[in-house]
């Protein structure tokens, strides 16, 4: 068993908000000593739809070099932080498709006993951020995973106000990711790494 925490940050972003948060989480986790894979899920929308929105097209081009997540990344990881924009109070179809592709690993028990957490964004205030993360965590319960949410474990959480995970309101692109959101991302990443490390140490002590 390797001593370093292996963290996969697996996300979907259309116009770039979640890309920014994912990179902050990945960078913070690496600084905390984790081995990190920053991964995006596959785009399902046709390129014509992507190109119809300049911000969507720009983000797609800017992140083309980020590897796409696959089942092997889930097996490799000790912890996974998922990111998705909210879609009608639920996870995006792109992330959901990736989750739905993991049935084989789930049936083999290979998704259990890992740490999971999530982050999200919406265009408007009260636009479904909390329900999106709660919906995401329903999947984690089926995995047999350990949900590590940030809670109100740091004073800064009273500024961003979401105990379920980092979230940001981008106001249709008018409100870029700010320091409040970045701070929430750092708190979440550090907490996930710290608790995953503790769980790994406990398992090693028990010979698991």
């Amino acid at each position: 068993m390797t001593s370093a925490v292996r963290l996969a940050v697996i996300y979907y972003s259309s116009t770039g908000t979640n890309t920014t948060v994912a990179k902050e989480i990945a960078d913070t986790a690496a600084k905390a000593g984790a081995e990190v894979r920053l991964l995006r899920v596959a785009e399902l929308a046709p390129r014509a739809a992507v190109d119809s929105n300049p911000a969507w097209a720009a983000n797609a081009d800017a992140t083309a070099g980020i590897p796409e997540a696959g089942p092997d990344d889930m097996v490799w990881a000790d912890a996974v932080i998922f990111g998705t924009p909210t879609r009608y109070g639920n996870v995006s179809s792109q992330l959901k498709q990736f989750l739905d592709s993991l049935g084989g690993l789930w049936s083999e028990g290979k998704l259990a006993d890992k740490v999971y957490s999530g982050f999200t964004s919406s265009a408007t205030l009260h636009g479904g951020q909390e329900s999106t993360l709660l919906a995401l965590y329903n999947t984690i319960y089926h995995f047999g995973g350990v949900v590590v949410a940030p809670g109100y474990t740091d004073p800064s959480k009273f500024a961003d106000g979401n105990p379920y995970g980092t979230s940001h309101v981008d106001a249709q692109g008018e409100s870029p990711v700010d320091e409040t959101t970045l701070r929430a991302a750092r708190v979440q990443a550090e907490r996930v790494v710290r608790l995953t490390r503790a769980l790994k140490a406990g398992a090693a002590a028990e010979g698991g």
Side-chain angles (χ1 to χ4, degrees):
M1 178 181 292
T2 180
S3 59
V5 169
R6 295 173 298 198
L7 172 67
V9 182
I10 299 176
Y11 78 99
Y12 174 71
S13 181
S14 53
T15 58
T17 296
N18 288 300
T19 297
T20 300
V21 176
K23 288 180 176 179
E24 187 73 12
I25 287 174
D27 289 347
T28 300
K31 291 175 182 175
E35 183 180 350
V36 181
R37 292 184 183 179
L38 176 64
L39 306 158
R40 58 187 176 86
V41 297
E43 178 61 78
L44 302 181
R47 185 68 204 201
V50 174
D51 288 340
S52 69
N53 182 328
W56 195 356
N59 181 65
D61 293 340
T63 60
I66 296 176
E68 286 188 4
D72 288 347
D73 296 305
M74 296 292 297
V75 175
W76 168 85
D78 300 309
V80 183
I81 301 179
F82 289 114
T84 176
T86 182
R87 295 289 186 261
Y88 306 111
N90 211 323
V91 301
S92 64
S93 57
Q94 289 86 350
L95 182 61
K96 186 62 165 59
Q97 191 278 334
F98 175 76
L99 295 172
D100 287 348
S101 75
L102 302 175
L105 295 181
W106 165 79
S107 67
E108 296 171 9
K110 292 183 177 179
L111 303 178
D113 303 329
K114 298 177 184 287
V115 166
Y116 297 90
S117 199
F119 63 94
T120 190
S121 63
S122 64
T124 60
L125 192 64
H126 308 300
Q129 296 180 352
E130 293 180 359
S131 63
T132 295
L133 292 173
L134 292 171
L136 171 64
Y137 295 155
N138 284 336
T139 299
I140 305 312
Y141 304 143
H142 283 256
F143 287 175
V146 179
V147 173
V148 173
Y152 292 107
T153 57
D154 185 273
S156 66
K157 291 303 296 176
F158 291 92
D160 82 283
N162 192 336
Y164 304 102
T166 302
S167 61
H168 184 75
V169 178
D170 77 349
Q172 301 288 0
E174 296 299 318
S175 181
V177 175
D178 57 11
E179 179 56 28
T180 297
T181 300
L182 293 175
R183 173 61 180 160
R186 292 192 291 269
V187 167
Q188 185 170 7
E190 290 168 353
R191 179 171 168 80
V192 166
V193 172
R194 182 173 67 255
L195 293 183
T196 304
R197 184 179 291 123
L199 287 172
K200 286 191 69 174
E206 293 179 0

